[in-house]
Amino acid sequence: MTCKSETITLIGAGLNGPLLAIGLVKRGFLVEIYERRPNMRRVSISAGRSINLALSTRGIHALSQAGFWNEMRKITLPMKGRMMHSTSSELTFQPYGKNETEVINSISRAELNIALMNAAEALGVKIHFQQRCKGVDLKTGALHLHDEQTDEDRTLASSVVIGCDGSASAIRSEMLKLNRFNFSQQYLDYGYKELTIPAGPGGKHALEVNALHIWPRGNYMLIALPNVDGTFACILFLPFEGTDSFAQLTTPATLLEFFQSRFPDAVPLMPNLATNFFANPTGSMVTVKCSPWHVEGRTLLLGDAAHAIVPFFGQGINCGFEDCTCLLDLLDRHGADWKRVFAEFEDARKVNTDAIADMAVENFVEMRDRVADPRFLFRKKVEFALEAKFPQLFVPKYAMVTFHRVPYATALKRGQVQDSMLTELCAQIERIEDLDWNKADRLVRSQLTPLELPS
Ligand SMILES: Cc1cc2nc3c(=O)[nH]c(=O)nc-3n(C[C@H](O)[C@H](O)[C@H](O)COP(=O)(O)OP(=O)(O)OC[C@H]3O[C@@H](n4cnc5c(N)ncnc54)[C@H](O)[C@@H]3O)c2cc1C
């Protein structure tokens, strides 16, 4: 068993690394983080860091436990629902939750990252920048680091290493060399591009501020999340190849023509469209599943390193922060019995991270296509009506994932049952008044048990 004066080494000062470090330091451990990138507080933020994230209950719970949410909420903006923009520039609003408390929160990834690193350092965590982990000896814990500034390699002894190094984890690559290590990665045929809507006159938001804006176009979409400085962080999701794809948008003229016909109301809001588009790289999206996540009590994967998911449920970091909550709870229960803590951590989390990975892929179709379908919007209304009538029995899947800390695997399972109920109940009706409440009562009470909603 490791004693608390030993140093825990984290690889990656993205979002999970510093939050986990804060929790560990508060429990008396010494923590050092090795990060490949330069210190983003001193150099300009590179592409990929300027996107906004939707923070929801699981992430907020973890930040609250770290004593950090009250500070953070000052730089978030609540988004009460989706604002859909049609090709003829009509707007339709669809609330996320049953009331105004059920919102998701837009936050700049860079600002969250900086705030977490500041807080970790203030507690004594040492973050070493421009130190790329090249690998780890899983038997001895010897860490191989490359100094990106001096171009020198060195080896460092470690007792416990936690890989918080994201979807292309170097620690996971090392585990891939082990016998019977399970690994799958599935790329989408879609890429994404960061774009911006600048603030309007007087620093005002150019669109409704308390909404996540979506231009759903069947096979692809544009989204925009508000920032506190009056701007919107936008992401264009398009196929890499084929009709309406990144491959076709090769000149400012083709880009402008595409935007004018597909997203006409967005064009006047994006004066720097072509500059942003051609300056920013096209990102790819991958689902990674693997196991085991740990080697003895020495090495562990956490966050995207263990389970990268596509961004369409807005859960990647919420899920990663929930990993931190779970790991820290286990440490509180078992002390620094790392072997046991790591094994129980994977047992508790893997089934749930697999579930959110699958739900995130499914949600892409919902966001880019189904939200524009009046039948889908009607089903959403029926869902809210059922939730109001049968609280704790019928809780929409989106709410279970986003507004509660119900295990993701439970949300997936109950969501499937509820989906077939909705199909049956909505089959031949167009108005909520025509809902067969006797049938609804029978279906709900026979197929759903009361749901425990962790606070
Ligand atoms: C377009 C997009 C939109 C998203 N939207 C949302 C959202 O709305 N809500 C949400 O919850 N999630 C969202 N996510 C997911 C979220 O960004 C990730 O789940 C989250 O960043 C994972 O955190 P992490 O700390 O595990 O990894 P990362 O944030 O990727 O951090 C990993 C860190 O490790 C460092 N690193 C990598 N390799 C090495 C190495 N060899 N040596 C040293 N350091 C290394 C990296 O430089 C990085 O700083 C989105 C993701 C994308 C791509």
Side-chain angles (χ1 to χ4, degrees):
M1 206 185 281
T2 306
C3 75
K4 286 195 177 184
S5 61
E6 273 181 285
T7 300
I8 312 300
T9 307
L10 306 186
I11 308 300
L15 298 174
N16 284 307
L19 183 68
L20 182 63
I22 291 167
L24 291 169
V25 165
K26 285 189 168 181
R27 282 160 181 79
F29 295 99
L30 299 172
V31 182
E32 305 227 358
I33 306 183
Y34 292 86
E35 164 59 46
R36 179 186 61 182
R37 292 171 194 262
N39 186 345
M40 61 158 71
R41 293 161 293 187
R42 302 228 180 97
V43 298
S44 69
I45 296 164
S46 61
R49 303 278 105 181
S50 60
I51 53 172
N52 273 30
L53 302 170
L55 255 188
S56 53
T57 299
R58 296 165 204 266
I60 292 170
H61 177 79
L63 289 171
S64 303
Q65 290 213 315
F68 209 51
W69 171 235
N70 282 340
E71 177 84 21
M72 282 297 87
R73 72 184 321 159
K74 294 180 199 148
I75 55 165
T76 66
L77 281 170
M79 299 182 289
K80 297 175 185 169
R82 296 165 171 156
M83 185 70 84
M84 270 81 72
H85 297 240
S86 74
T87 30
S88 51
S89 306
E90 280 155 15
L91 299 179
T92 316
F93 182 74
Q94 185 222 328
Y96 279 127
K98 61 179 184 294
N99 58 41
E100 300 244 316
T101 66
E102 294 194 333
V103 299
I104 57 176
N105 302 277
S106 177
I107 188 165
S108 144
R109 173 209 278 269
E111 284 192 48
L112 176 61
N113 205 162
I114 286 170
L116 285 168
M117 288 192 291
N118 286 344
E121 284 176 341
L123 289 169
V125 174
K126 177 91 185 107
I127 307 179
H128 308 266
F129 293 96
Q130 294 183 276
Q131 302 295 313
R132 181 162 57 85
C133 173
K134 291 174 69 179
V136 57
D137 185 324
L138 295 168
K139 287 203 180 83
T140 64
L143 261 180
H144 306 299
L145 296 169
H146 181 77
D147 188 316
E148 301 281 354
Q149 249 177 327
T150 62
D151 211 23
E152 281 167 9
D153 286 340
R154 66 181 165 133
T155 299
L156 196 82
S158 74
S159 55
V160 175
V161 176
I162 304 184
C164 306
D165 50 345
S167 59
S169 168
I171 302 295
R172 193 185 64 227
S173 298
E174 205 67 69
M175 291 185 178
L176 260 171
K177 298 174 194 159
L178 295 174
N179 268 342
R180 295 186 294 116
F181 183 77
N182 300 298
F183 176 72
S184 75
Q185 65 177 19
Q186 187 75 45
Y187 279 93
L188 292 185
D189 294 334
Y190 289 76
Y192 71 91
K193 183 82 85 174
E194 295 169 28
L195 300 169
T196 308
I197 294 180
K204 287 212 167 125
H205 288 94
L207 295 166
E208 160 60 44
V209 59
N210 293 123
L212 187 151
H213 293 263
I214 308 187
W215 289 257
R217 296 294 180 263
N219 200 30
Y220 57 92
M221 66 178 174
L222 173 71
I223 66 170
L225 281 78
N227 270 316
V228 280
D229 63 3
T231 61
F232 279 86
C234 307
I235 311 179
L236 173 67
F237 295 97
L238 273 188
F240 280 111
E241 311 282 343
T243 322
D244 294 333
S245 69
F246 280 114
Q248 293 185 326
L249 304 179
T250 50
T251 64
T254 52
L255 175 70
L256 199 62
E257 194 190 326
F258 177 74
F259 262 70
Q260 267 163 347
S261 60
R262 291 0 185 247
F263 314 117
D265 59 335
V267 176
L269 309 177
M270 303 175 106
N272 306 319
L273 172 62
T275 316
N276 286 340
F277 186 92
F278 292 106
N280 291 338
T282 308
S284 53
M285 292 170 283
V286 67
T287 302
V288 171
K289 292 182 181 174
C290 67
S291 70
W293 290 351
H294 59 101
V295 179
E296 298 294 325
R298 278 191 303 272
T299 315
L300 176 75
L301 302 173
L302 182 141
D304 276 22
H307 47 72
I309 63 177
V310 297
F312 305 110
F313 224 122
Q315 283 298 306
I317 200 50
N318 291 289
C319 176
F321 282 1
E322 193 172 61
D323 280 359
C324 297
T325 305
C326 176
L327 188 71
L328 295 169
D329 283 352
L330 286 166
L331 265 176
D332 289 341
R333 215 174 303 155
H334 303 312
D337 181 352
W338 295 106
K339 195 170 172 182
R340 181 173 183 190
V341 166
F342 289 175
E344 289 191 20
F345 171 73
E346 181 171 347
D347 280 353
R349 294 300 291 154
K350 172 88 173 111
V351 61
N352 290 305
T353 58
D354 283 352
I356 189 59
D358 296 344
M359 288 191 280
V361 172
E362 278 170 25
N363 223 45
F364 187 26
V365 183
E366 176 165 325
M367 280 182 86
R368 68 174 200 235
D369 191 10
R370 293 184 68 209
V371 290
D373 175 358
R375 286 302 292 169
F376 171 80
L377 298 178
F378 176 65
R379 274 172 75 108
K380 283 278 167 198
K381 276 194 190 152
V382 175
E383 266 195 316
F384 286 137
L386 291 172
E387 185 181 23
K389 179 92 175 164
F390 307 107
Q392 281 192 262
L393 271 175
F394 192 106
V395 180
K397 182 173 80 179
Y398 188 83
M400 285 189 280
V401 168
T402 310
F403 306 128
H404 301 288
R405 295 193 301 115
V406 172
Y408 288 125
T410 308
L412 175 65
K413 221 152 102 197
R414 289 180 77 106
Q416 285 161 346
V417 173
Q418 292 176 175
D419 240 18
S420 38
M421 263 179 216
L422 277 173
T423 304
E424 206 174 329
L425 289 170
C426 295
Q428 269 144 14
I429 60 168
E430 313 237 316
R431 303 176 325 147
I432 210 114
E433 295 79 5
D434 299 329
L435 188 66
D436 181 344
W437 283 105
N438 288 333
K439 188 173 183 183
D441 193 273
R442 203 167 2 96
L443 286 175
V444 168
R445 292 188 196 286
S446 64
Q447 293 185 33
L448 296 170
T449 50
L451 184 61
E452 260 181 59
L453 296 173
S455 57

